């Protein structure tokens, strides 16, 4: 596939069938649709328990038009490593991708992922980060941000979220990137690169979720954009020891654009209703974002191109 | 899904023909007729549509179809009425109306 630089370059071939069971406006379904367009027919997917394992649909039908193996919650990266090894002994060169939720990655699947990355298994690992255990009814995860309502944090989460990207860099990953499908060209650029590379490739996708984040499904794309424009989500790529901001985040890092106040991102989502109530909490949230940016500017400095 | 429907759909005549593990086949409508989920219906105004494909690219449900004339139309069999297309169309060529099935 030649490089996708504009929407008109997006291939027409589809591998996610219509009539799948995702909620209306699901950003994960959108990401899966495009990832499969990029990887193409010669791909095998493995999925642990998560919304994706449900949106595939009900036996005897599946919405995914490439081979897909469901696996246990903790084992997406281990399963992907095994599938790849199986193809290798058969002399077949197939793209193997694990697609998992944040619960199955930041929490439950992290040891399998850490091991696979340490062994530099030849797999792509996509985590769609909808920031909670959505499929079982919106319970908090290690990826749920500070202040967010979930059914297990009725007053808003009191802890900060884990930083999986940072963990993966420390884990020795050769390729790590963050994406969100609102910025589709950035999404294509990173997955097209990931497809061409060998070894472990970890992609962390911010995945807005209308029922879990409490917003009207029509705002999915706008919320993803606001996450980046306010700096609540940072777009970056870490490749063979070199860290780079990308897209709008790069403009923020270079001082060419200013972060929007985080309130514009928070107020669209019912899950932040506790934060929105108080000026101090909004300010604290803004501080957390600024702190995170300071950290990432330092990471960029340490891993800059020599 | 009732057993008899599964049998029919997979063309199975006896229990002996069942696969050793649950093996699903790719198909449209694995989650049912999702068009029935709509509360709002997106409607494209072909006079305004520029054929930019933004709505097509952002539809999570593949419910925007590219027409031969380069413009787009909605596939109401699968469209869930999320209204992403309505919000993202840069020239406001998509309107929303309350869904009244069968009209
Ligand atoms: C070992 C195990 N524990 C619990 C469950 C129940 N379970 C299925 S999906 C799910 C939530 C997954 O959350 P996440 O990985 O974030 O994906 P999401 O549902 O948000 O898409 C849970 C708790 C399970 N299937 N297996
Ligand atoms: S709960 Fe969220 S992630 Fe899961 S299918 Fe619905 S919108 Fe998608
Ligand atoms: S986004 Fe609007 S103008 Fe562009 S193809 Fe869709 S309906 Fe037409
Ligand atoms: S309303 Fe949603 S599902 Fe229907 S065509 Fe528009 S984007 Fe697709
Ligand atoms: Mg989740």
């Amino acid at each position: 596939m030649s490089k996708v630089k504009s929407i008109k370059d997006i291939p027409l071939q589809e591998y996610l069938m219509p009539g799948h069971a995702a909620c209306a406006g699901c950003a994960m379904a959108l990401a899966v649709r495009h990832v499969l367009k990029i990887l193409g027919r010669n791909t095998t997917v493995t999925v642990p328990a998560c919304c994706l394992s449900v949106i595939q649909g009900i036996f005897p039908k599946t919405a995914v038009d490439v081979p897909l193996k469901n696996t246990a919650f903790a084992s997406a990266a281990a399963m992907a490593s095994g599938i790849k090894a199986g193809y290798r002994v058969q002399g077949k060169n197939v793209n193997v991708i694990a697609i998992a939720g944040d619960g199955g990655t930041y929490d439950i699947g992290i040891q399998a992922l850490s091991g696979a990355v340490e062994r530099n298994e030849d797999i792509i690992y996509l985590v769609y980060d909808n920031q909670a255990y959505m499929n079982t009814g919106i319970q908090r995860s290690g990826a749920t941000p500070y202040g967010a309502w979930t059914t297990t944090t009725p007053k808003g989460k009191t802890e900060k979220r884990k930083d999986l990207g940072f963990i993966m860099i420390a884990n020795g990953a050769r390729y790590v990137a963050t994406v969100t499908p609102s910025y589709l060209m950035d999404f294509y650029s990173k997955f097209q690169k990931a497809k061409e590379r060998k070894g472990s490739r970890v992609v962390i996708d911010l995945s807005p979720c209308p029922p879990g984040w409490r917003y009207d499904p029509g705002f999915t794309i706008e919320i993803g954009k606001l996450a980046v424009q306010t700096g609540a989500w940072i777009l970056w790529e870490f490749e063979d020891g070199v860290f780079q901001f990308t897209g709008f985040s790069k403009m923020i890092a270079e001082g060419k654009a200013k972060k929007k106040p985080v309130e514009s991102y928070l107020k669209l989502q019912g899950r932040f209703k506790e934060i929105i109530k108080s000026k101090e909490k909004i300010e604290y949230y803004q501080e957390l974002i600024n702190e995170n940016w300071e950290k990432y500017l330092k990471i960029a400095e340490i891993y800059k191109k020599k | 899904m009732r057993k008899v429907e599964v049998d029919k759909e997979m063309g199975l005549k006896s229990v002996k023909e069942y696969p050793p593990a649950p093996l699903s086949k790719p198909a449209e409508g694995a989650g049912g007729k999702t068009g029935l989920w709509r509360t709002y219906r997106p409607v494209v105004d072909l006079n305004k549509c520029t054929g930019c494909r933004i709505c097509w690219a952002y539809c999570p449900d593949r419910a925007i179809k590219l027409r031969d004339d380069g413009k787009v139309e909605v596939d109401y069999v699968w469209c869930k009425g999320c209204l992403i297309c309505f919000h993202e169309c840069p020239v406001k060529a998509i309107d929303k109306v309350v869904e009244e099935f069968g009209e």
Side-chain angles (χ1 to χ4, degrees):
Chain A
M1 193 200 307
S2 51
K3 265 219 164 102
V4 171
K5 292 231 160 76
S6 82
I7 284 188
K8 294 265 164 93
D9 301 335
I10 294 177
L12 301 182
Q13 186 64 45
E14 304 272 3
Y15 302 93
L16 181 66
M17 308 298 271
H20 56 65
C23 312
C26 175
M28 172 268 279
L30 182 60
V32 170
R33 179 184 163 214
H34 287 289
V35 166
L36 294 178
K37 276 171 175 285
I38 297 164
L39 298 182
R41 174 70 62 205
N42 185 34
T43 300
T44 294
V45 184
T46 184
V47 178
C50 61
C51 282
L52 178 55
S53 61
V54 173
I55 80 158
Q56 285 162 223
I58 301 159
F59 179 82
K61 292 179 179 176
T62 169
V64 180
D65 193 12
V66 294
L68 185 152
K69 173 92 182 81
N70 289 111
T71 186
F73 218 157
S75 59
M79 178 60 83
S81 310
I83 292 172
K84 187 71 195 188
Y87 279 131
R88 201 180 298 122
V89 295
Q90 293 176 49
K92 290 182 184 156
N93 187 18
V94 177
N95 307 312
V96 176
I97 182 170
I99 309 181
D102 51 293
T105 304
Y106 287 67
D107 300 338
I108 298 173
I110 199 164
Q111 63 83 10
L113 175 60
S114 172
V117 166
E118 185 266 327
R119 298 189 304 275
N120 201 23
E121 297 284 351
D122 191 18
I123 58 168
I124 302 177
Y125 191 103
L126 163 61
V127 44
Y128 65 92
D129 184 0
N130 56 18
Q131 306 194 326
Y133 292 80
M134 294 305 178
N135 182 38
T136 37
I138 323 173
Q139 293 83 23
R140 97 194 259 295
S141 78
T144 304
Y146 165 81
W149 165 91
T150 65
T151 52
T152 48
T153 53
K155 282 284 189 192
K157 187 176 163 183
T158 47
E159 301 81 20
K160 294 192 235 175
R161 63 187 238 112
K162 286 189 199 176
D163 185 344
L164 184 70
F166 198 36
I167 295 172
M168 285 296 109
I169 292 174
N171 207 135
R174 304 305 302 164
Y175 187 84
V176 193
T178 61
V179 295
T180 188
S182 300
Y183 287 104
L184 258 188
M185 291 307 114
D186 184 74
F187 188 98
Y188 266 83
S189 140
K190 286 165 180 167
F191 269 103
Q192 286 196 294
K193 193 177 280 179
K195 184 186 178 184
E196 299 311 320
R197 288 182 59 96
K198 294 262 163 269
S200 304
R201 292 140 285 170
V202 181
V203 184
I204 309 168
D205 166 34
L206 181 73
S207 195
C209 165
W213 295 11
R214 297 305 208 220
Y215 66 86
D216 263 2
F219 292 118
T220 286
I221 304 302
E222 193 177 335
I223 284 178
K225 283 190 180 161
L226 276 171
V228 173
Q229 288 167 7
T230 57
W233 190 253
I234 309 178
L235 295 174
W236 54 264
E237 191 171 41
F238 180 79
E239 200 184 355
D240 297 322
V242 178
F243 180 98
Q244 273 180 313
F245 295 100
T246 68
F248 194 84
S249 301
K250 187 170 179 202
M251 303 208 339
I252 296 176
E254 290 172 352
K256 290 179 188 151
K258 267 185 85 119
K259 295 199 284 288
K260 283 190 181 163
V262 72
E263 196 177 348
S264 58
Y265 173 63
L266 303 178
K267 74 178 182 209
L268 274 181
Q269 305 171 55
R271 65 173 172 157
F272 290 117
K273 63 179 189 296
E274 282 296 323
I275 305 251
I276 283 299
K277 273 187 201 160
S278 110
K279 217 172 147 251
E280 287 77 49
K281 281 192 177 163
I282 296 174
E283 271 165 21
Y284 179 62
Y285 208 99
Q286 188 66 57
E287 264 171 48
L288 288 180
I289 286 180
N290 297 349
E291 255 173 40
N292 195 42
W293 263 93
E294 289 304 318
K295 179 173 107 188
Y296 269 88
L297 288 166
K298 280 183 197 144
I299 295 173
E301 187 54 33
I302 295 168
Y303 293 110
K304 69 173 178 231
K305 208 168 179 163
K306 301 247 161 54
Chain B
M1 190 178 283
R2 296 210 316 279
K3 179 176 168 297
V4 49
E5 285 175 43
V6 174
D7 291 350
K8 205 167 67 194
E9 230 162 304
M10 295 187 74
L12 301 172
K13 289 189 194 70
S14 84
V15 175
K16 286 191 191 126
E17 290 179 11
Y18 270 70
L23 181 70
S24 293
K25 295 266 172 64
E28 295 185 334
K33 287 266 185 300
T34 52
L36 296 171
W37 299 6
R38 271 194 312 278
T39 45
Y40 285 98
R41 164 187 282 250
V43 181
V44 181
D45 181 343
L46 289 173
N47 292 319
K48 288 192 195 155
C49 173
T50 62
C52 71
R53 294 191 190 172
I54 287 178
C55 56
W56 169 81
Y58 280 142
C59 176
D61 288 277
R62 266 181 71 185
I64 302 267
K65 294 258 169 291
L66 303 177
R67 292 159 49 101
D68 289 342
D69 64 3
K71 301 183 182 197
V72 299
E73 63 190 26
V74 178
D75 184 344
Y76 294 112
V77 177
W78 309 119
C79 165
K80 293 169 183 166
C82 71
L83 298 182
I84 286 178
C85 53
F86 165 80
H87 284 281
E88 297 304 321
C89 175
V91 297
K92 299 258 166 282
I94 301 182
D95 199 5
K96 62 166 186 184
V97 297
V98 173
E99 180 61 79
E100 290 178 48
F101 289 106
E103 305 240 328

